[in-house]
Amino acid sequence: MKHSNYCYFNGDLVHFQDIHLHVTDLLFQRGYGVFDFFRCRNGSFPWLEDYTERLFTSLELSCIEVNLDREQFTSVIHSLQEKNGLTNGAFKVIVSGGYADNLESVSGPANIVILNVLWEKPPEETFAKGVNLIRDEYVRPNPEVKTLYYFNRLKLQKKLKEYNAIDVLYYTDTISEASRANLFFVKEGSVYTPVSNILKGITRKQVLSLFGDIKVEDIDAERLYDFDEIFLTSSSNDVTPVVSVEGQKIGKGTPGPVTREIQAAFRAQGW
C-alpha cells in the first residue's frame, strides 16, 4: 500500500515521514498494541460506527487507554480524509501500548497513528477464480481483540508461498477463523460460520444480516474437506471464494453457486 501525504499522530495531522516512535514503546518491546482497518469507498465510510466500536472494544479488552473518545475518533477520520482528498482509500489505525521507561510497564500515554493509504482493489481474478489457503493448528490469544501480534502467520510465510496461498485457516478440534478473515462454509446449500475463537468481523456481520438463515455454530475440523464451498469475508477482500486448502480441492475446486450469490448480494450494496 502507498501512503498518502498526511497521517494522524498523537493529536496532529502530520506528513508520513514525520511519524517517529521511540524504541521504548511497548509495541517494540512486548508486542503490546492493537489496530483496525477499514476503507473509504466513493467518499463514504460504510459501517464506520461498527469499526469504531470494534477498535474501542479491542482497546478496552487490552487495557490500553487513549485520549480520544468515539466521537473524536470519527471526527479525526473525516478530517484526515478531507485533508488527503482520497475518495477511495483505506485507513489503518495503530495504537501502541505507550512508552515504558523500564521496557516492561507503561509509563506514558498510548501512541496513536492513523495511516490513510491509497487503496488498490485486489485483481478481479481473485474474486472470479478463488484463492488458496493453508491450515495451522492454532487459536489466536484473545481472539476478540484485533491485536498487532501476528507472529504465527508470519512464521508461515514460506508455507504460504509454497501453496500460493493468501491466508492461514486456524483450527484445533474446531475451525475458528483465518489469520486475516472470517470463514464461511457451504454444504448442500446450507451456510455455516464458526462462533468460537474468532474476531467478529464487520464484513462477516454484513453477510449475516443479508442472509438470516446462516448457521452460526462450532464446526468440527474433521469436516473441512467435506464442504462443497468455502469463502472468506474481510474488509480488504470483501467476499472471496476459497478453492483449495493445502493443495486439496474444496468441492469442485471452483467458486460455487452459493458463494457467487452471496458475493453478488454484497456487491449490490454498492461496496
Side-chain angles (χ1 to χ4, degrees), residues 4-62:
S4 54
N5 288 333
Y6 289 95
C7 307
Y8 176 90
F9 180 51
N10 288 343
D12 297 308
L13 299 186
V14 302
H15 290 288
F16 179 82
Q17 61 268 24
D18 294 328
I19 297 175
H20 301 285
L21 287 178
H22 196 270
V23 71
T24 58
D25 192 293
L26 284 169
L27 179 58
F28 297 113
Q29 294 297 328
R30 304 291 171 180
Y32 183 37
V34 303
F35 82 102
D36 219 304
F37 176 91
F38 50 89
R39 287 155 59 186
C40 174
R41 312 187 194 201
N42 301 318
S44 66
F45 294 91
W47 317 306
L48 180 56
E49 184 176 342
D50 290 323
Y51 285 107
T52 301
E53 189 59 35
R54 184 173 69 179
L55 171 65
F56 277 82
T57 296
S58 290
L59 290 168
E60 290 163 6
L61 292 173
S62 302

Side-chain angles (χ1 to χ4, degrees), residues 205-219:
K205 178 180 178 180
Q206 303 310 315
V207 169
L208 288 173
S209 70
L210 286 171
F211 295 86
D213 58 348
I214 294 175
K215 298 175 174 61
V216 182
E217 61 187 40
D218 288 327
I219 298 173

Side-chain angles (χ1 to χ4, degrees), residues 16-238:
F16 179 82
Q17 61 268 24
D18 294 328
I19 297 175
H20 301 285
L21 287 178
H22 196 270
V23 71
T24 58
D25 192 293
L26 284 169
L27 179 58
F28 297 113
Q29 294 297 328
R30 304 291 171 180
Y32 183 37
V34 303
F35 82 102
D36 219 304
F37 176 91
F38 50 89
R39 287 155 59 186
C40 174
R41 312 187 194 201
N42 301 318
S44 66
F45 294 91
W47 317 306
L48 180 56
E49 184 176 342
D50 290 323
Y51 285 107
T52 301
E53 189 59 35
R54 184 173 69 179
L55 171 65
F56 277 82
T57 296
S58 290
L59 290 168
E60 290 163 6
L61 292 173
S62 302
C63 299
I64 296 176
E65 297 182 2
V66 294
N67 57 4
L68 287 175
D69 60 24
R70 288 163 173 78
E71 184 176 344
Q72 290 168 328
F73 171 76
T74 300
S75 178
V76 167
I77 295 301
H78 284 284
S79 296
L80 189 55
Q81 190 273 335
E82 183 178 349
K83 184 77 171 177
N84 285 318
L86 291 180
T87 56
N88 287 286
F91 290 78
K92 185 167 186 177
V93 184
I94 303 166
V95 185
S96 74
Y99 295 133
D101 292 337
N102 63 0
L103 308 184
E104 292 184 358
S105 53
V106 176
S107 55
N111 288 302
I112 306 173
V113 176
I114 305 177
L115 306 177
N116 182 199
V117 298
L118 302 174
W119 174 254
E120 294 182 4
K121 189 176 181 179
E124 189 58 34
E125 183 180 28
T126 299
F127 304 103
K129 293 186 176 181
V131 299
N132 309 313
L133 302 180
I134 60 172
R135 58 179 180 165
D136 193 56
E137 190 170 356
Y138 178 74
V139 171
R140 288 190 308 110
N142 306 303
E144 67 276 20
V145 176
K146 198 166 177 66
T147 174
L148 285 160
Y149 183 77
Y150 269 62
F151 173 84
N152 198 72
R153 176 195 166 86
L154 291 170
K155 74 180 179 68
L156 293 169
Q157 290 181 87
K158 184 176 180 180
K159 188 175 180 181
L160 284 162
K161 290 180 181 178
E162 178 185 350
Y163 285 97
N164 190 29
I166 71 161
D167 211 338
V168 185
L169 180 149
Y170 289 147
Y171 72 97
T172 50
D173 292 335
T174 59
I175 297 169
S176 53
E177 60 186 357
S179 70
R180 299 189 302 167
N182 290 115
L183 293 161
F184 287 78
F185 302 86
V186 181
K187 183 66 176 180
E188 297 176 350
S190 295
V191 185
Y192 305 82
T193 192
V195 66
S196 302
N197 297 318
I198 65 167
L199 179 74
K200 294 181 179 178
I202 308 306
T203 307
R204 173 184 181 270
K205 178 180 178 180
Q206 303 310 315
V207 169
L208 288 173
S209 70
L210 286 171
F211 295 86
D213 58 348
I214 294 175
K215 298 175 174 61
V216 182
E217 61 187 40
D218 288 327
I219 298 173
D220 195 317
E222 293 182 355
R223 297 178 61 194
L224 175 60
Y225 293 109
D226 292 334
F227 287 104
D228 303 321
E229 305 173 40
I230 299 176
F231 63 90
L232 303 171
T233 60
S234 70
S235 299
S236 55
N237 288 325
D238 296 335

